[in-house]
């Protein structure tokens, strides 16, 4: 493991890219920030880089990965790619790490994801995160690079699960914003977030993630952070829709990207393809499409057919075992 200061190139100079640059600088690493608006070329920025960290919004990931590949294919021999984007690509339904792995099949790719609201990190408040990779040594290297008194970094062997936790919770955060915007109370919010986690596990399992990862920092942890904080852009989308704003009005007032809006559309495609029940996501989708009001979405969720709490555990099975009382 290399404990020396590293040359880190951060792609994306938005809220998260800047916060990660601050966290890396705590440990004396040399950080270069690049965005599509940078005066310095990508080629110059990438010279002698040890680590490329991508904090670009989902819609730009493939283009930027191709750009990196075109300018610097040969000189990236020992470079670790870290992806911190929380989204899914339309049509391919790829996660960001799958895009990087396809374009850079010989580089170690590490996912970094957790309950990390950038505004709190900018205020130097403490936080924890997770790094995960098929390449365990690369994940441990990134853990070393970012661990500090302000930022506690855990490793995890399930990169798909870690990445999907951060991505799928954005849609549930929109629904949590609606819940608070309608003043539905703490009971309703607890029910919504818990059932939201069930949807995340269903989708995650179908895409190859481990269930237990969703109960860790990158799943439940990030779900709690974004569903309970007005600092979350995704939460804000739901909150403001519940306060009679239109989606274009909300998006134009946001500082930065609310990935849950596009992720929701991709999740509907995945759910239809694999016949997965994701009722909360479905209501968020219809709400974002302007097909229903927040109140109608609530009624639809409350009036669904009654069922057992757990999948593959029908009520009749419990009763037939004489455990009804
Ligand atoms: N802000 C936060 O608290 C956190 C954000 N994230 C994730 O990080 C990603 C970026 O989020 P933010 O920095 O908050 O967003 P942002 O909107 O502040 O910045 C986005 C960055 O991506 C670049 N970008 C956008 N579209 C592009 C395109 N088509 N081509 C090239 N570059 C493009 C922008 O120029 C900018 O540098 C998102 O996936 C988000 O979910 C993850 C953890 C925390
Ligand atoms: O992912 C995040 C916190 O972990 C940021 O959430 P928002 O994108 O909703 O602001």
């Amino acid at each position: 493991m290399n404990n020396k200061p590293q040359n880190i190139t951060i792609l994306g100079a938005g809220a998260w890219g800047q916060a990660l640059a601050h966290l890396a600088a705590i440990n004396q690493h040399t950080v270069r920030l690049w965005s599509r608006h940078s005066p310095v070329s990508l080629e110059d920025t990438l010279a002698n880089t040890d680590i490329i960290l991508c904090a670009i919004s989902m819609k730009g990931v493939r283009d930027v990965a191709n750009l990196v590949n075109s300018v610097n294919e040969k000189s990236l021999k020992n470079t670790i790619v870290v992806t911190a984007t929380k989204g899914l690509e339309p049509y391919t339904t790829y996660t960001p790490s799958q895009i990087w792995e396809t374009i850079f099949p010989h580089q170690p790719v590490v996912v970094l994801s957790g309950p990390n609201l950038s505004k709190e990190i900018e205020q130097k408040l403490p936080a924890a995160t997770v790094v995960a990779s098929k390449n365990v040594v690369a994940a441990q290297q990134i853990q070393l690079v970012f661990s500090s008194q302000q930022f506690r970094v855990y490793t995890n062997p399930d990169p798909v699960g870690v990445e999907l936790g951060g991505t799928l919770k954005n849609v549930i955060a929109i629904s949590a914003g609606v819940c608070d915007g309608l003043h539905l109370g703490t009971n309703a919010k607890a029910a919504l977030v818990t059932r939201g986690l069930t949807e995340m596990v269903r989708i995650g399992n179908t895409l190859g993630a481990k269930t237990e990862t969703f109960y860790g920092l990158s799943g439940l942890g990030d779900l709690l952070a974004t569903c309970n904080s007005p600092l979350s852009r995704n939460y804000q989308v739901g909150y403001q829709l519940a306060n009679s704003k239109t989606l274009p009005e909300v998006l134009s007032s946001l500082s930065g990207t609310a990935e849950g809006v596009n992720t929701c559309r991709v999740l509907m495609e995945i759910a239809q393809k694999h016949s997965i029940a994701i009722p909360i996501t479905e209501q968020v989708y219809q709400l974002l499409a302007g097909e229903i009001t927040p109140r109608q979405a609530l009624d639809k969720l409350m009036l669904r057919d009654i069922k057992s709490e757990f999948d593959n555990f029908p009520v009749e099975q419990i009763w037939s075992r004489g455990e009804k009382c």
Side-chain angles (χ1 to χ4, degrees):
M1 213 76 56
N2 188 348
N3 208 2
K4 291 189 194 133
Q6 304 282 294
N7 291 323
I8 304 175
T9 301
I10 296 185
L11 307 174
W16 191 215
Q18 291 186 45
L20 284 162
H22 154 75
L23 290 169
I26 292 176
N27 288 343
Q28 317 303 325
H29 301 295
T30 303
V31 183
R32 279 169 279 185
L33 261 178
W34 178 90
S35 83
R36 55 189 161 162
H37 310 301
S38 290
V40 184
S41 76
L42 182 58
E43 186 150 22
D44 288 348
T45 313
L46 286 173
N48 304 317
T49 198
D50 301 307
I51 294 163
I52 295 175
L53 191 156
C54 177
I56 301 265
S57 309
M58 189 65 235
K59 60 182 187 295
V61 169
R62 187 175 286 278
D63 285 351
V64 170
N66 279 325
L67 202 59
V68 173
N69 193 32
S70 68
V71 298
N72 231 304
E73 196 182 1
K74 293 204 180 67
S75 59
L76 293 178
K77 214 166 163 212
N78 299 313
T79 306
I80 300 175
V81 174
V82 183
T83 163
T85 303
K86 295 177 176 176
L88 287 171
E89 189 176 51
Y91 307 114
T92 66
T93 70
Y94 278 8
T95 67
S97 73
Q98 288 169 333
I99 296 176
W100 284 99
E101 279 170 354
T102 311
I103 296 171
F104 293 94
H106 306 299
Q107 308 298 137
V109 175
V110 178
V111 172
L112 185 152
S113 190
N116 300 148
L117 294 156
S118 60
K119 285 214 164 75
E120 292 191 358
I121 287 171
E122 289 294 356
Q123 291 166 36
K124 301 195 173 25
L125 294 170
T129 205
V130 183
V131 289
S133 176
K134 293 173 191 160
N135 183 323
V136 177
V137 176
Q140 289 170 339
Q141 178 68 50
I142 300 306
Q143 179 183 39
L144 204 58
V145 163
F146 279 98
S147 292
S148 70
Q149 201 175 6
Q150 193 194 333
F151 204 46
R152 184 162 172 80
V153 185
Y154 291 85
T155 55
N156 178 306
D158 178 19
V160 179
V162 168
E163 197 169 31
L164 286 175
T167 293
L168 304 185
K169 60 81 194 174
N170 282 334
V171 177
I172 307 304
I174 296 176
S175 74
V178 173
C179 185
D180 284 354
L182 292 177
H183 305 289
L184 300 182
T186 307
N187 294 334
K189 179 92 165 280
L192 187 70
V193 172
T194 309
R195 295 307 299 169
L197 184 58
T198 300
E199 292 189 19
M200 289 167 60
V201 172
R202 281 186 195 141
I203 296 254
N205 285 164
T206 306
L207 299 181
K210 296 193 179 94
T211 302
E212 59 263 36
T213 305
F214 289 96
Y215 294 97
L217 275 176
S218 57
L220 179 61
D222 204 357
L223 186 66
L224 292 175
T226 38
C227 289
N228 289 311
S229 175
L231 293 177
S232 157
R233 285 83 46 97
N234 289 289
Y235 173 97
Q236 279 298 334
V237 169
Y239 190 88
Q240 293 187 39
L241 286 176
N243 281 283
S244 308
K245 294 260 174 61
T246 64
L247 185 60
E249 282 170 349
V250 177
L251 294 181
S252 64
S253 73
L254 280 187
S255 61
T257 314
E259 296 277 19
V261 175
N262 287 330
T263 299
C264 189
R265 297 188 189 113
V266 184
L267 288 186
M268 291 300 291
E269 286 172 35
I270 294 172
Q272 272 161 13
K273 185 171 164 199
H274 298 281
S275 301
I276 311 167
I278 47 167
I280 299 170
T281 305
E282 205 176 314
Q283 294 312 311
V284 172
Y285 174 79
Q286 289 187 14
L287 180 64
L288 293 172
E291 293 168 4
I292 50 167
T293 65
R295 281 273 163 201
Q296 285 169 330
L298 168 67
D299 289 346
K300 281 205 185 172
L301 286 172
M302 293 305 288
L303 295 171
R304 294 180 65 236
D305 285 349
I306 50 173
K307 62 191 282 290
S308 163
E309 183 177 17
F310 298 113
D311 295 343
N312 308 320
F313 213 90
V315 174
E316 305 76 48
Q317 203 178 313
I318 306 171
W319 288 1
S320 69
R321 283 203 259 140
E323 292 170 9
K324 188 179 172 187
C325 304

